[in-house]
Amino acid sequence: MKVLKTGAAVAAAVALALTATACGGGTKDGAAGSSGDAKKDKVVIGIKFDQPGVGLKTPEGKFTGFDVDVATYVAKELGYAPEQIEFKQAVSAERENLIANGDVKFVVASYSINDKRKEKVDFAGPYLLAHQDLLVRADDSSITKAEDLNKKKLCSVTGSTSAQNVKTKLAPEADLLEQGGYSECLTGLENKKVDALTTDNSILAGYAAQEKNKGKFKLVGLSLSNENYGIGLKKGDKDLQTKINAALKKMVADGAWETAVKNNFGPANYKNEPAPQITEGS
């Protein structure tokens, strides 16, 4: 009889475990089960780590910049607190891969919307309209327009649309050097290894405004292209696209967008365009 009782107890325990599993098994990343009230664990967001004013990881390990503020606001609207955000470096050439491989939930990394990129990823937004410009040394008066780059050394980052725009349309004889990050280009500019750095004026303004760079560089003041920054996400994820668009609209409406612009770009006297209309996904 003792053996029978033990067997019955084991059977009851197994049945109870099976019932619990069927009613409310765990879900990936702490997502809510059938009750819907379990909290999400974290969200991984791709940003730039080397763009002052836009996306920067400081030596202390903090993250600052306009894109960081936008990403944090959007994450909040998706249900994530700041401490649940994991920022992952998204260099220009790897943004599509990070999204496609599921390494990030979305990318907020001075990511200009264009048709070629939209073949691989979807976008929400846009959330900022920037213009391509040139950064040169403060004492250089030889470059006042894009055509002046012919026969000169131009630097940008691998995967950037800015350098190709100059090389193919504006200064085909420019000697183009592509680096892994803008910091390398800036070092080359300071050391006279290159004559100009090209990318969006928002990014250039952030570099020029850094305390260590004040007086060293200047913006030429051109508008070589329109760059609509969007938030990149996995192709076909319409639900996430809709939620992010709603978050961006709310950020503009409640004044948080304007505050972020002033906090991050104001020191460089950057003249921003008004918040653009949301066009992706509509």
Side-chain angles (χ1 to χ4, degrees):
M1 290 297 292
K2 187 174 182 180
V3 173
L4 290 175
K5 286 181 179 179
T6 302
V10 171
V14 170
L16 181 62
L18 290 172
T19 301
T21 301
C23 290
T27 54
K28 186 178 179 182
D29 293 333
S34 58
S35 64
D37 55 7
K39 290 186 177 180
K40 305 178 184 70
D41 275 347
K42 66 176 182 179
V43 60
V44 183
I45 305 173
I47 63 168
K48 291 293 180 68
F49 278 17
D50 66 342
Q51 292 180 353
V54 180
L56 181 70
K57 183 178 181 179
T58 70
E60 298 76 29
K62 295 182 179 180
F63 299 95
T64 65
F66 181 71
D67 280 356
V68 174
D69 290 346
V70 170
T72 302
Y73 190 99
V74 169
K76 179 195 71 174
E77 293 302 305
L78 294 177
Y80 298 95
E83 59 269 19
Q84 292 174 291
I85 299 173
E86 177 185 328
F87 287 119
K88 187 177 183 69
Q89 186 173 22
V91 298
S92 294
E94 290 299 319
R95 289 175 295 202
E96 286 86 10
N97 290 335
L98 289 172
I99 295 169
N101 295 337
D103 295 323
V104 297
K105 184 77 169 177
F106 52 88
V107 167
V108 192
S110 55
Y111 202 3
S112 299
I113 301 169
N114 63 40
D115 291 339
K116 183 177 180 180
R117 289 170 177 167
K118 287 169 73 171
E119 292 175 1
K120 298 179 180 180
V121 302
D122 279 340
F123 286 95
Y127 64 91
L128 184 74
L129 173 58
H131 300 290
Q132 184 184 348
D133 200 353
L134 301 173
L135 189 71
V136 298
R137 288 181 292 276
D139 60 356
D140 187 351
S141 58
S142 67
I143 300 174
T144 59
K145 56 186 183 298
E147 290 77 10
D148 293 334
L149 292 170
N150 283 313
K151 308 295 185 181
K152 291 184 179 291
K153 293 180 180 179
L154 172 68
C155 191
S156 195
V157 300
T158 304
S160 168
T161 59
S162 300
Q164 296 304 323
N165 182 48
V166 171
K167 182 71 176 172
T168 59
K169 299 177 183 178
L170 303 171
E173 295 182 54
D175 183 5
L176 177 60
L177 174 66
E178 293 184 288
Q179 297 281 21
Y182 292 108
S183 297
E184 292 93 323
C185 283
L186 200 70
T187 299
L189 183 60
E190 183 173 4
N191 296 336
K192 299 187 178 182
K193 301 290 186 182
V194 298
D195 299 299
L197 162 58
T198 187
T199 187
D200 306 340
N201 53 4
S202 56
I203 298 170
L204 297 176
Y207 278 114
Q210 281 189 297
E211 191 65 35
K212 64 180 181 180
N213 292 330
K214 286 183 178 178
K216 293 182 180 180
F217 310 106
K218 64 181 179 182
L219 286 162
V220 175
L222 306 177
S223 294
L224 302 178
S225 69
N226 294 328
E227 304 294 338
N228 281 293
Y229 289 180
I231 295 180
L233 57 136
K234 186 162 287 189
K235 197 160 185 64
D237 194 342
K238 298 300 181 184
D239 180 60
L240 181 60
Q241 184 185 52
T242 299
K243 290 177 178 178
I244 293 177
N245 280 337
L248 293 175
K249 290 177 182 177
K250 183 177 178 181
M251 187 177 185
V252 173
D254 67 13
W257 184 90
E258 187 68 29
T259 297
V261 168
K262 290 178 179 178
N263 288 345
N264 292 292
F265 301 132
N269 293 318
Y270 169 74
K271 306 300 182 185
N272 67 283
E273 299 278 4
Q277 293 295 312
I278 302 293
T279 57
E280 298 302 308
S282 59

